[in-house]
Amino acid sequence: MNKWYASLGKEADTVVSTRIRLARNLAGIPFPSRMTAEQRRQVNEQVRDALFADTTLGKQFKYLEMETLPDITAEAMVERHLISPAFAARREGKALLLSEDESVSIMLCEEDHIRIQVMEAGLAPEEAYRTANAIDDALSARLTYAFDERLGYLTECPTNLGTGLRASLMLHLPALEASGGINRLAATVSKIGMTVRGTYGEGTKPVAALYQVSNQVTLGISEEAAIENLRAIAAQAIQQERALRSSLDPDGIEDAAYRALGTLKFARAVTSQEFMELISQVRLGVAMGVIKDLPLATVEELMISAGPASIQAAEGKPLDPAERDKARAKLARERL
Amino acid sequence: MNKWYASLGKEADTVVSTRIRLARNLAGIPFPSRMTAEQRRQVNEQVRDALFADTTLGKQFKYLEMETLPDITAEAMVERHLISPAFAARREGKALLLSEDESVSIMLCEEDHIRIQVMEAGLAPEEAYRTANAIDDALSARLTYAFDERLGYLTECPTNLGTGLRASLMLHLPALEASGGINRLAATVSKIGMTVRGTYGEGTKPVAALYQVSNQVTLGISEEAAIENLRAIAAQAIQQERALRSSLDPDGIEDAAYRALGTLKFARAVTSQEFMELISQVRLGVAMGVIKDLPLATVEELMISAGPASIQAAEGKPLDPAERDKARAKLARERL
């Protein structure tokens, strides 16, 4: 089955993906940081059974006990944005429900008991929210959530109280980055309760000009309003990025994009950092139509498959950095 | 007809080409620097007629009055090492006899009345000398050279007195250059009356790790001994370069060579300097067998066709630097 990132979404020139995350906890059970091993097991199994009891949804998922997975597999999942770095780092007593196309991942006993995450290619917050909502409904039909009339869904961290919703977009903004316009965008974004982060979330640096934009406020604002705000910010970022792109020298863009493509098609060793810089140039070239005959989805797939852990997971064995750089170059040659 | 550089010579991994030059003057006529226009015309035509009178040799040559050629054509000839920069810069009253495969060029009224130059691919000083000698014999059968029993052939510049012979090799020495070993080689070379120069001769810088090695002394040494010395130096340079190449990290060489190839196959604009750096890497990769399926002769042809004037001559019109860089990139993409 094709993974979610193998298809092309809306506004794909600038929007790589949309992610919706819902945080939920079960009533009467401590938050994960204070749970016993037995309580974790019980929560994991309760949620699993609740999902599997839904005959339509249930069969799309597999249940993974995180502590049984090799480090590399878990780290590769972080690179694919399926799980959080913290979830991969301390896997004891944690479990994951993962849909076949990897568009839905449900982390169990992460910061909260349940973290439903839905990914969609391109700009699709409503679609992603609809899917998350359906899963939420299926679970809540069989589980009792910790919910307060005044505060909404209760979560371990107060920043998630209320809707428990985080809606975010992964934006490819090479022109805004090069022009220094990112800081202005970030300032605007923060005024409406949203934030711009690096590629792998809070505290991480942008890689390949990939930026996460997401809502900060979950209390006193409806899910619909949060998604509305995200759309509004996205529209601004897309418009600014496109305007800047169209003001760039087309010959320079074409040359840079094809050089990056040439290097990726021919190099014998490529570090992760260089890879991301090159693929960003290629993505821009494809998005602007200067590189033809290369589907954007191929670029997306390659981008999501070239992290250090993903490379090792694909090769099925641990590799030292030099071996990884060779395997990464080989992967790029084969895919491009 | 294929040009001389389209075939591959001996020791082609390190020796790009061999050049033999003989300087000759006609008796009883001032050296070119003090000739009248009428005397130039007479010398040019006498030499032309002498060559054309030889039925075998004559039909291989065309006769070009240099002042009738466009600047670009003359400059492209310099880039192909057919004529000297000085000969291209001041063309009035000068003429050229050029063989069809461009392996033999005879400059008339350059520094001396006659400069016979023979090029061969790879290491072939004897073959080149034999060809030069045959032309010299054909001309001397019909012309009276300025010759002195004690001094040998008389030439305008005393450094050419005697044999009038300059034997030189164009060597590709990227590993020696990178290791800093070129200076040691140059010191050794100078001890036996030879010299190491840049790519375009005296006072020019090496480009693409291409070095000219040639004899300095023409007096008191036979042609055979000069060629013997050149062979000895070549053997040393080749041996040192090969030893250094085999000590290099093969993975690094392969990666660098393929990256250079990838850039040349995909870039949309390449400056002359970058082109030479890239093609030097590619040449090394092909010579060391890490790049397969790319004939070294293709690299040589491209290398000799990518100078600013050659690019314009091929396009048939003057181009500004940005247009040249695009045309050069296009040429590289097509040829590779």
Side-chain angles (χ1 to χ4, degrees):
Chain A
M1 187 183 195
N2 274 341
K3 303 301 183 204
W4 66 269
Y5 44 80
S7 63
L8 210 60
K10 289 176 195 152
E11 320 293 356
D13 63 330
T14 41
V15 185
V16 175
S17 59
T18 302
R19 177 162 51 160
I20 292 286
R21 184 265 284 159
L22 296 175
R24 298 290 184 259
N25 288 278
L26 302 188
I29 303 174
F31 288 126
S33 61
R34 277 165 296 151
M35 284 166 90
T36 63
E38 179 54 23
Q39 283 172 322
R40 285 172 200 273
R41 200 185 51 75
Q42 280 176 7
V43 166
N44 292 344
E45 291 178 1
Q46 273 181 45
V47 180
R48 176 196 66 191
D49 294 347
L51 187 71
F52 286 177
D54 185 301
T55 47
T56 315
L57 279 174
K59 64 186 171 198
Q60 299 167 23
F61 284 82
K62 59 183 174 185
Y63 176 77
L64 300 165
E65 290 179 348
M66 291 304 293
E67 59 197 78
T68 67
L69 300 183
D71 286 357
I72 287 172
T73 307
E75 286 158 25
M77 285 177 167
V78 175
E79 289 171 2
R80 295 156 101 88
H81 301 282
L82 297 176
I83 61 174
S84 64
F87 195 70
R90 290 173 297 283
R91 300 198 294 284
E92 210 185 321
K94 290 168 186 170
L96 183 72
L97 285 156
L98 184 62
S99 74
E100 231 182 318
D101 72 351
E102 296 187 359
S103 68
V104 186
S105 55
I106 307 173
M107 289 187 283
L108 302 178
C109 296
E110 205 246 16
E111 190 180 287
D112 297 296
H113 294 152
I114 306 171
R115 287 265 174 125
I116 302 166
Q117 178 189 277
V118 178
M119 305 277 289
E120 286 270 353
L123 181 67
E126 290 82 4
E127 293 86 334
Y129 179 65
R130 211 175 303 132
T131 305
N133 215 20
I135 292 163
D136 190 34
D137 288 348
L139 295 180
S140 69
R142 292 169 182 88
L143 301 168
T144 309
Y145 284 158
F147 185 82
D148 178 273
E149 279 304 324
R150 205 170 49 88
L151 293 172
Y153 293 103
L154 300 178
T155 54
E156 164 126 47
C157 178
T159 59
N160 293 314
L161 278 174
T163 58
L165 169 81
R166 174 139 301 153
S168 55
L169 299 175
M170 184 73 84
L171 300 175
H172 188 225
L173 305 173
L176 259 172
E177 181 179 84
S179 76
I182 289 288
N183 294 339
R184 265 198 321 281
L185 180 73
T188 312
V189 161
S190 70
K191 282 181 197 149
I192 56 165
M194 312 207 63
T195 181
V196 178
R197 294 194 173 111
T199 311
Y200 293 95
E202 202 162 348
T204 67
K205 280 187 190 164
V207 174
L210 293 172
Y211 291 85
Q212 273 189 28
V213 177
S214 57
N215 66 320
Q216 276 289 77
V217 180
T218 51
L219 201 57
I221 180 172
S222 71
E223 288 88 345
E224 289 71 21
I227 287 172
E228 191 84 3
N229 284 349
L230 189 68
R231 270 217 172 263
I233 284 299
Q236 253 192 59
I238 292 169
Q239 181 268 322
Q240 286 178 24
E241 172 70 18
R242 283 184 187 157
L244 283 166
R245 286 184 188 181
S246 66
S247 72
L248 295 171
D249 165 35
D251 289 349
I253 291 290
E254 189 183 354
D255 186 47
Y258 271 108
R259 279 169 181 261
L261 182 61
T263 302
L264 284 174
K265 279 173 84 109
F266 281 85
R268 261 50 190 171
V270 180
T271 65
S272 186
Q273 193 192 327
E274 187 193 10
F275 174 87
M276 290 306 277
E277 286 162 9
L278 293 170
I279 200 83
S280 175
Q281 296 271 18
V282 171
R283 195 188 197 284
L284 180 62
V286 172
M288 291 183 68
V290 299
I291 294 183
K292 294 166 180 79
D293 307 324
L294 178 64
L296 198 50
T298 304
V299 177
E300 300 295 353
E301 273 200 84
L302 185 56
M303 210 181 235
I304 215 164
S305 317
S310 302
I311 289 289
Q312 295 177 80
E315 296 276 321
K317 60 181 180 193
L319 302 172
D320 67 33
E323 291 170 331
R324 284 205 297 270
D325 293 350
K326 284 185 195 173
R328 187 177 293 109
K330 189 160 160 280
L331 180 77
R333 289 204 302 281
E334 287 167 0
R335 296 285 177 87
L336 295 171
Chain B
M1 186 182 195
N2 274 341
K3 304 301 183 204
W4 66 270
Y5 44 78
S7 63
L8 208 61
K10 290 175 194 151
E11 321 292 356
D13 63 331
T14 42
V15 186
V16 175
S17 59
T18 301
R19 177 160 53 160
I20 292 287
R21 183 266 283 158
L22 296 175
R24 298 289 184 262
N25 288 279
L26 301 186
I29 303 174
F31 288 126
S33 62
R34 277 163 298 152
M35 285 167 90
T36 64
E38 179 56 22
Q39 282 173 323
R40 285 172 199 272
R41 200 185 51 74
Q42 281 175 7
V43 165
N44 292 344
E45 291 178 0
Q46 272 181 46
V47 180
R48 177 196 65 191
D49 295 346
L51 187 70
F52 286 178
D54 183 303
T55 47
T56 315
L57 279 175
K59 63 187 168 196
Q60 299 167 24
F61 284 82
K62 59 183 172 185
Y63 176 77
L64 300 166
E65 290 180 348
M66 291 305 292
E67 59 197 77
T68 67
L69 300 183
D71 286 357
I72 287 172
T73 308
E75 285 158 27
M77 285 178 167
V78 175
E79 290 171 1
R80 295 157 99 86
H81 300 283
L82 296 176
I83 62 175
S84 64
F87 194 71
R90 291 173 296 282
R91 299 199 293 284
E92 209 185 320
K94 289 166 186 171
L96 182 72
L97 286 156
L98 183 62
S99 74
E100 232 182 315
D101 71 351
E102 296 187 358
S103 68
V104 185
S105 55
I106 307 173
M107 290 187 282
L108 302 177
C109 295
E110 206 245 19
E111 189 181 289
D112 296 296
H113 294 152
I114 305 172
R115 287 265 175 125
I116 302 167
Q117 178 190 276
V118 179
M119 306 276 289
E120 286 271 353
L123 181 68
E126 290 82 3
E127 292 85 336
Y129 179 65
R130 212 176 303 134
T131 305
N133 215 20
I135 292 163
D136 190 35
D137 287 350
L139 295 180
S140 69
R142 291 168 182 90
L143 302 168
T144 309
Y145 283 158
F147 185 82
D148 178 275
E149 279 304 326
R150 204 169 49 89
L151 293 172
Y153 293 103
L154 300 179
T155 55
E156 165 127 49
C157 178
T159 59
N160 293 315
L161 277 175
T163 57
L165 169 81
R166 174 139 301 152
S168 55
L169 300 175
M170 184 74 84
L171 301 176
H172 188 226
L173 305 174
L176 258 171
E177 181 179 85
S179 76
I182 289 289
N183 294 339
R184 266 197 321 280
L185 180 73
T188 312
V189 161
S190 70
K191 281 181 195 148
I192 56 166
M194 313 207 64
T195 181
V196 179
R197 294 193 173 113
T199 311
Y200 293 94
E202 201 160 350
T204 66
K205 280 187 190 165
V207 173
L210 292 172
Y211 291 84
Q212 273 190 28
V213 177
S214 58
N215 66 321
Q216 276 290 76
V217 181
T218 51
L219 201 57
I221 180 171
S222 71
E223 287 88 344
E224 288 72 19
I227 286 172
E228 190 85 3
N229 284 350
L230 189 68
R231 271 216 172 263
I233 284 298
Q236 252 192 61
I238 292 168
Q239 182 267 322
Q240 285 178 25
E241 173 70 18
R242 284 183 186 158
L244 283 167
R245 286 184 187 182
S246 66
S247 73
L248 296 171
D249 165 34
D251 289 348
I253 290 291
E254 189 184 355
D255 186 49
Y258 271 108
R259 279 168 180 261
L261 181 61
T263 302
L264 285 174
K265 278 173 86 108
F266 281 84
R268 261 49 191 171
V270 180
T271 65
S272 187
Q273 194 192 326
E274 187 194 10
F275 174 88
M276 290 306 277
E277 286 162 11
L278 293 170
I279 201 84
S280 175
Q281 296 270 18
V282 171
R283 193 187 198 284
L284 181 62
V286 173
M288 289 182 72
V290 298
I291 295 182
K292 294 165 181 83
D293 307 324
L294 179 63
L296 198 50
T298 303
V299 177
E300 300 295 354
E301 273 198 87
L302 185 55
M303 208 180 236
I304 216 165
S305 317
S310 302
I311 288 288
Q312 294 176 82
E315 296 275 321
K317 61 181 179 193
L319 303 172
D320 67 32
E323 291 170 331
R324 284 205 298 269
D325 294 349
K326 285 185 196 175
R328 186 177 293 110
K330 189 158 161 283
L331 180 76
R333 288 203 304 280
E334 288 167 0
R335 296 286 175 85
L336 296 172

